[in-house]
Amino acid sequence: MSTDPPTPDLTVQRLWGQQPRPRRGPKPALSAEQIVEAAFEIAEADGLDALSMARVAETVGCSPMALYRHVAGKDELLVLLTDRVAALLPPLPAGLGWRAGLELWTRLQIELVVAHPWYLDLPLATAFPGPNRLRWFDHALEALSDVPLPFDEKLALIGLLAQHVLGEAQVQADTRRAAVERVRRTSGVAPDVPDTELDPDAVDRANPYYDFETVLTRLATPDQYPHLFATAAAWDPDAAPPDPVDDAAFGIGIVLDGIEVYLRRRTGDAVG
């Protein structure tokens, strides 16, 4: 009986750049890599809703049917595009230790997704283990290399942080999207004006939570929300932590605190 592993399907082969090429004939003028790059540029410029096989064909200068010699369809293109985004993640420095390594690993992903919010519109089913995603996964395992846990538990910890990335990035990206749309609607700015050219102060003020204090003082009452007002009244803004952190760092820190407690319980304090 053969012990050879099964041959990956064609989508996975393309993802890893191992699609079989015809033995005869001239080298194709188009490649899956060029198609994916065109799709990336479209998504960057106009969002994922603007991405279609016809638009990609127009961008690379060929007929839509010519694309299907290299990509099976839009679903497969989204798989390849998902891994293309992961290529933007930089290498992690070596020797950071498990906590600093995973903190940076998590933060860089949040920053990447917030900078490219259309990534959140990609279906989760497109997250195949491509070479770039697997490289980033390998970085997380490097950070955990000195932690005496089996592979499945390390995988679970990495998955927990990956879920935090999606949640935190979704909140940040959606909040900014809402603020930008509000500024565009109220200021009458032309549709072709990039988001980066909008007044940053106006975008900050358009944040749905910007007027939270006004809601408390003008609209809500202590009778309606006694615990909210009692907690707010007891808050001393001058008693802030000595090392203030941004929202992303706060959330990552809480998750890592929980992981550290788990590691110490699981390994008998055998973690640094």
Side-chain angles (χ1 to χ4, degrees), residues 137-258:
F137 177 76
D138 192 67
H139 283 314
L141 287 175
E142 180 185 9
L144 289 167
S145 58
D146 292 331
V147 175
L149 285 181
F151 175 73
D152 60 336
E153 291 184 52
K154 290 183 178 182
L155 181 63
L157 295 180
I158 294 169
L160 175 66
L161 289 171
Q163 290 179 55
H164 180 75
V165 167
L166 289 177
E168 177 65 29
Q170 186 83 58
V171 169
Q172 289 194 32
D174 283 357
T175 300
R176 177 169 174 78
R177 279 175 173 171
V180 165
E181 288 303 315
R182 186 176 179 186
V183 170
R184 288 187 176 279
R185 187 171 61 252
T186 57
S187 65
V189 67
D192 59 345
V193 174
D195 294 351
T196 53
E197 294 185 15
L198 299 177
D199 181 359
D201 290 334
V203 173
D204 286 342
R205 291 193 299 272
N207 185 305
Y209 294 98
Y210 182 82
D211 291 331
F212 186 59
E213 185 176 348
T214 300
V215 171
L216 287 182
T217 57
R218 298 287 184 88
L219 301 175
T221 68
D223 291 338
Q224 293 173 302
Y225 310 101
H227 302 291
L228 175 60
F229 273 80
T231 304
W235 174 53
D236 181 4
D238 295 326
D243 297 315
V245 294
D246 57 53
D247 291 343
F250 180 81
I252 295 170
I254 293 294
V255 175
L256 291 176
D257 284 348

